[in-house]
């Protein structure tokens, strides 16, 4: 592949990634948003993270798997409880990673 094409592709990808983030930031930087909009925007990270996480937890080979053989779903339940009760991001991540590692190491499923 031509080096110029690779460089142009990287620059193009950087622009299409950066511009959608920079334009709202620059357009809204000096404005006060209504409280309802600020509150609504506060839910966006949670909604995006949920939308990214749900397929990984619930789908297996393209089908919904709510069974006890779904390691990621089983690990998610105590991880969510850890997140709710401790409100610790790193504790929740450590709990989830530890449970998945333990589930893969121990052939209980």
């Amino acid at each position: 592949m031509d080096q110029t094409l690779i460089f142009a592709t990287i620059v193009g990808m950087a622009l299409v990634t950066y511009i959608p983030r920079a334009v709202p930031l620059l357009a809204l930087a000096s404005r006060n948003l209504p409280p309802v909009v600020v509150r609504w925007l506060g839910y966006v990270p949670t909604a995006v993270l949920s939308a990214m996480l749900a397929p990984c937890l619930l789908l297996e080979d393209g089908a919904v798997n709510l069974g006890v053989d779904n390691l990621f779903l089983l690990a998610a339940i105590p991880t969510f409880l850890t997140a709710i009760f401790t409100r610790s991001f790193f504790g929740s991540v450590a709990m989830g990673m530890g449970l998945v590692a333990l589930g893969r190491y121990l052939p209980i499923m």
Side-chain angles (χ1 to χ4, degrees):
M1 185 178 279
D2 184 22
Q3 296 295 323
T4 305
L5 179 61
I6 293 173
F7 181 73
T9 302
I10 292 172
V11 169
M13 292 173 66
L15 287 175
V16 298
T17 302
Y18 181 74
I19 289 174
R21 295 176 183 173
V23 168
L25 182 68
L26 294 173
L28 300 175
S30 61
R31 297 182 182 181
N32 291 328
L33 297 174
V36 67
V37 173
V38 172
R39 186 172 177 188
W40 177 78
L41 287 173
Y43 292 115
V44 170
T46 304
V48 170
L49 184 60
S50 299
M52 291 170 43
L53 187 61
C56 295
L57 293 178
L58 301 176
L59 296 179
E60 189 171 304
D61 296 328
V64 175
N65 182 4
L66 300 176
V68 294
D69 60 335
N70 187 345
L71 174 63
F72 297 116
L73 184 59
L74 289 179
I77 294 168
T79 302
F80 286 144
L81 293 175
T82 300
I84 290 169
F85 290 119
T86 66
R87 299 205 176 268
S88 168
F89 174 76
F90 292 109
S92 303
V93 170
M95 172 69 84
M97 291 176 65
L99 288 174
V100 169
L102 185 66
R104 287 185 173 172
Y105 181 72
L106 298 174
I108 56 175
M109 290 182 240

